Amino acid sequence: MKGGCITPGTIAGLFCPGLLLLASAEIAVYTNHFLVELHRGGEPEAKQLAAEYGFSGVRKLPFIDAGYHFYHNGISRARRRRSLQHKLHLEKDPRIKKAVQQEGFGRKKRGYREINEIDINMNDPLFTKQWYLINTGQADGTPGLDLNVAEAWELGYTGKGVTIGIMDDGIDYLHPDLASNYNAKASYDFSSNDPYPYPRYTDDWFNSHGTRCAGEVSAAANNNICGVGVAYNSKVAGIRMLDQPFMTDIIEASSISHMPQVIDIYSASWGPTDNGKTVDGPRELTLQAMADGVNKVMFLLNKLGKMTVLLTHTGDGAQILFTALYMEDFSEAGFILDLTWRDMQHLTVLTSKRNQLHDEVHQWRRNGVGLEFNHLFGYGVLDAGAMVKMAKDWKTVPERFHCVGGSIQEPEKIPSSGKLVLTLTTDACEGKENFVRYLEHVQAVITVNSTRRGDLNINMTSPMGTKSILLSRRPRDDDSKVGFDKWPFMTTHTWGEDPRGTWVLEVGFVDSMPQRGVLKEWTLMLHGTQSAPYIDQIVRDYQSKLAMSKKEELEEELDEAVERSLKSILSKN
Ligand SMILES: *[C@@H]1O[C@H](CO)[C@@H](O)[C@H](O)[C@H]1NC(C)=O
Ligand SMILES: *[C@@H]1O[C@H](CO)[C@@H](O)[C@H](O)[C@H]1NC(C)=O
């Protein structure tokens, strides 16, 4: 893979450059295009004249009698002075009534944000194609639909001081765009047990995945090579653990806990076979390693005054990006950042944006505290700029508590048509030590079997009326034996809500084929805080969003009214 660019294929779309070099207000720019009016004569005469004066082309102008467009083909430079001689010659010609050299002026595409306008100048040749960093519409995409990472860069957060471990099929650490950001000391090859996680070469470049991930994160900036990483001043460590016949719990766990004193973020862009029917998750040791990482290691990091941000983004090609931003130690400015993994999740929920994400099937809705979410996109696109700005004034969220909100363990038949509806009324452990008043995550631990697992459909609605689709149709999954065994379905749609009241679980089959199934357990697990993490912040945000949506509604109504009257006018004609 040496030599080639590691930027992912999906970003190399059609780049649409801005219009020609054009005039500033003060200096008139004259082009090599002339309007020429003849006294008389048709196209043959015009062609004759154009040839005499050295123009390469001529075109009849339909809006002027005996008017022609004389031009030079090819890219000729715009001139700063009128080509006086040329013009005088044309004017002197008795066959010509009038000759006007055309002036050049500016025309910008609407909604086209030029990269230079936000003052990010990178000389890396593929930078302008990395639409997910700065989307100007260059890949036929939607301008502005990006990670807003430029704002975070401008604020000074570029990944400096952070090391990201890429758990994957290896890293081509000799690649010229990665070599300077490679952290060899924190790297290891768990697939072949040595310190050199270099990918195994195959003709089809099958093992280039880890290298791509590393490039998306840490490709060096301004080196005239390929593109730019989202955190271009960060370091990457290669943790090679894929590309072996079988994964084991011990390799997964070892990888995820490799050198936590050096590695700030672990990137895992892989999972169980993605064939639409496999139901699998991390095993015992790996779960333990994750819990340790979150509870022990993050705590250590906080003490160092570092903040790390993990951004994931699913783009057109289902790319997943991992971003690391580094927040300087602000002790000099009077405060030290103390962000936990939960703070990161709160920041993500609060700052992510609907942007211009469109979902035909699932509506964007607001949950009980006004946060806008969608079944496919969650809380929307990550906004790196908003995230670092909010993080600066962030107060660590209060302690988290866990409450079993209730459990139904009596087997209940799922009807072949229609659905099984169960309810659980909970006080969310109020009056006890582990009372949960403001929700973070909610889990529905479910055991269920059915004649066809892929046709099962499970929704859960919170007391504040927020519906989460826990399981939708999986057409390829024809399991009829295992079902789900104590599977922890999780939702974040109810984030910030009050969990007290009645929760509703709906279980049904999508297909109209006769099916059988039994729900054997539904346990409601509530996780969250007792005191409000930032309730003022939400209320403010909700109000401004509400004001915005009212404005949009009004605009929509106006548009519809205009459309209606246009239609009625047209139908009358
Ligand atoms: C589901 O479990 C019930 C009770 O254990 C059993 O009677 C039934 O046959 C099972 N159904 C399927 C489809 O496996
Ligand atoms: C779950 O919600 C989806 C989307 O609103 C709906 O299509 C489906 O019928 C619901 N299923 C059940 C079992 O309520």
Side-chain angles (χ1 to χ4, degrees):
M1 71 208 53
K2 248 164 276 170
C5 283
I6 47 183
T7 337
T10 48
I11 64 169
L14 189 71
F15 176 58
C16 180
L19 296 177
L20 290 171
L21 162 80
L22 293 169
S24 74
E26 305 86 49
I27 312 160
V29 172
Y30 287 92
T31 64
N32 55 2
H33 298 259
F34 282 78
L35 164 67
V36 177
E37 276 185 58
L38 306 184
H39 289 293
R40 73 187 73 80
E43 220 152 328
E45 287 76 14
K47 277 191 177 148
Q48 170 68 29
L49 265 171
E52 277 178 36
Y53 285 99
F55 288 93
S56 62
V58 65
R59 191 170 62 89
K60 173 80 185 76
L61 295 171
F63 43 85
I64 301 175
D65 285 342
Y68 294 88
H69 176 194
F70 283 23
Y71 56 89
H72 289 287
N73 264 339
I75 307 154
S76 145
R77 299 186 80 83
R79 292 175 195 188
R80 301 210 175 256
R81 281 187 305 121
R82 278 171 196 269
S83 351
L84 270 179
Q85 258 191 330
H86 212 148
K87 181 173 148 54
L88 288 175
H89 282 136
L90 282 167
E91 274 177 349
K92 271 190 205 152
D93 195 301
R95 294 165 292 181
I96 293 173
K97 188 170 144 196
K98 193 171 150 192
V100 184
Q101 189 175 8
Q102 297 294 291
E103 191 181 335
F105 44 83
R107 284 286 183 272
K108 295 270 163 71
K109 293 180 188 180
R110 296 286 170 261
Y112 185 102
R113 196 163 37 128
E114 282 198 2
I115 283 168
N116 287 341
E117 275 172 28
I118 35 179
D119 205 24
I120 301 286
N121 288 304
M122 301 284 189
N123 61 24
D124 310 65
L126 291 181
F127 175 60
T128 50
K129 295 194 174 181
Q130 292 179 283
W131 58 268
Y132 54 91
L133 300 178
I134 300 174
N135 197 340
T136 57
Q138 66 269 55
D140 282 346
T142 311
L145 190 50
D146 57 40
L147 292 170
N148 190 26
V149 78
E151 192 180 357
W153 291 344
E154 284 188 320
L155 291 165
Y157 308 114
T158 57
K160 197 159 180 245
V162 168
T163 295
I164 299 105
I166 308 287
M167 302 188 279
D168 215 291
D169 56 16
I171 291 184
D172 177 5
Y173 45 79
L174 302 176
H175 193 289
D177 212 14
L178 281 178
S180 61
N181 282 339
Y182 183 63
N183 186 336
K185 277 193 190 139
S187 297
Y188 196 76
D189 188 335
F190 286 98
S191 297
S192 56
N193 292 304
D194 61 59
Y196 310 106
Y198 202 79
R200 183 177 59 94
Y201 179 80
T202 65
D203 278 346
D204 60 0
W205 285 30
F206 180 67
N207 292 319
S208 63
H209 186 260
T211 306
R212 284 159 187 259
C213 291
E216 285 172 23
V217 174
S218 280
N222 270 319
N223 60 354
N224 278 303
I225 301 168
C226 297
V228 171
V230 268
Y232 53 79
N233 279 327
S234 64
K235 295 259 184 280
V236 277
I239 302 175
R240 182 165 177 263
M241 38 85 80
L242 301 180
D243 191 29
Q244 47 166 340
F246 294 103
M247 182 55 70
T248 60
D249 194 16
I250 203 161
I251 287 189
E252 238 173 52
S254 307
S255 304
I256 215 164
S257 53
H258 178 65
M259 292 193 92
Q261 67 277 23
V262 181
I263 295 174
D264 303 281
I265 294 175
Y266 296 82
S267 157
S269 182
W270 41 264
T273 312
D274 198 6
N275 57 4
K277 56 183 175 182
T278 303
V279 173
D280 194 5
R283 311 293 156 97
E284 192 187 342
L285 296 171
T286 306
L287 283 174
Q288 186 58 47
M290 282 192 215
D292 283 358
V294 156
N295 297 325
K296 297 181 186 158
V297 182
M298 287 300 283
F299 185 69
L300 179 81
L301 280 180
N302 297 335
K303 292 293 151 196
L304 297 174
K306 275 186 196 175
M307 181 189 99
T308 48
V309 179
L310 175 73
L311 299 183
T312 62
H313 169 84
T314 304
D316 285 351
Q319 292 289 340
I320 297 175
L321 305 180
F322 294 88
T323 301
L325 304 167
Y326 179 61
M327 203 140 232
E328 296 296 329
D329 190 333
F330 278 95
S331 47
E332 271 176 54
F335 65 96
I336 298 171
L337 277 170
D338 193 18
L339 295 167
T340 66
W341 68 285
R342 280 170 54 230
D343 291 321
M344 287 317 310
Q345 301 199 6
H346 282 274
L347 286 166
T348 304
V349 169
L350 291 183
T351 58
S352 295
K353 307 251 162 21
R354 177 178 177 171
N355 200 315
Q356 295 153 84
L357 294 174
H358 182 66
D359 183 350
E360 295 272 339
V361 181
H362 309 95
Q363 302 280 313
W364 281 84
R365 296 186 191 283
R366 287 177 195 284
N367 75 6
V369 292
L371 293 165
E372 198 175 28
F373 71 94
N374 167 281
H375 175 61
L376 294 183
F377 299 114
Y379 287 101
V381 191
L382 293 156
D383 183 329
M387 233 171 176
V388 295
K389 279 192 289 188
M390 192 176 277
K392 282 185 180 184
D393 299 320
W394 189 255
K395 283 202 188 73
T396 309
V397 286
E399 190 185 347
R400 190 173 67 137
F401 297 90
H402 313 279
C403 166
V404 179
S407 186
I408 290 177
Q409 316 234 356
E410 290 294 306
E412 300 271 0
K413 274 197 183 135
I414 306 162
S416 184
S417 63
K419 57 190 170 191
L420 170 68
V421 180
L422 296 176
T423 60
L424 263 179
T425 301
T426 180
D427 61 3
C429 303
E430 189 173 9
K432 299 201 191 102
E433 245 175 48
N434 57 334
F435 174 41
V436 172
R437 166 62 185 84
Y438 300 93
L439 282 176
E440 290 178 5
H441 305 84
V442 174
Q443 288 169 304
V445 180
I446 286 173
T447 300
V448 66
N449 71 3
S450 74
T451 42
R452 196 170 191 282
R453 187 170 61 186
D455 289 344
L456 271 174
N457 186 217
I458 308 177
N459 298 335
M460 184 166 72
T461 304
S462 74
M464 293 185 95
T466 303
K467 182 164 93 175
S468 302
I469 302 173
L470 298 182
L471 179 67
S472 49
R473 192 172 187 221
R474 306 162 80 241
R476 293 187 190 165
D477 182 0
D478 54 11
D479 164 84
S480 63
K481 293 199 170 65
V482 185
F484 290 98
D485 184 19
K486 287 191 175 293
W487 191 260
F489 291 94
M490 198 260 287
T491 178
T492 55
H493 295 342
T494 52
W495 200 269
E497 289 188 0
D498 183 345
R500 288 171 297 179
T502 300
W503 292 75
V504 181
L505 192 78
E506 296 167 291
V507 187
F509 291 107
V510 183
D511 218 316
S512 51
M513 296 239 300
Q515 311 234 24
R516 279 176 296 111
V518 178
L519 183 93
K520 299 175 186 178
E521 178 185 352
W522 169 34
T523 299
L524 181 68
M525 308 275 289
L526 308 170
H527 310 274
T529 60
Q530 285 171 12
S531 50
Y534 39 64
I535 208 75
D536 299 345
Q537 209 159 8
I538 282 192
V539 170
R540 258 203 322 275
D541 206 46
Y542 184 32
Q543 279 164 350
S544 72
K545 276 185 184 169
L546 208 63
M548 282 297 289
S549 70
K550 276 197 183 128
K551 189 167 160 273
E552 275 164 25
E553 261 169 42
L554 284 175
E555 279 168 6
E556 249 169 57
E557 271 172 32
L558 203 64
D559 284 349
E560 278 165 21
V562 169
E563 203 175 301
R564 269 198 306 277
S565 57
L566 271 177
K567 269 186 193 151
S568 73
I569 291 168
L570 286 175
S571 65
K572 272 173 204 149
N573 287 345

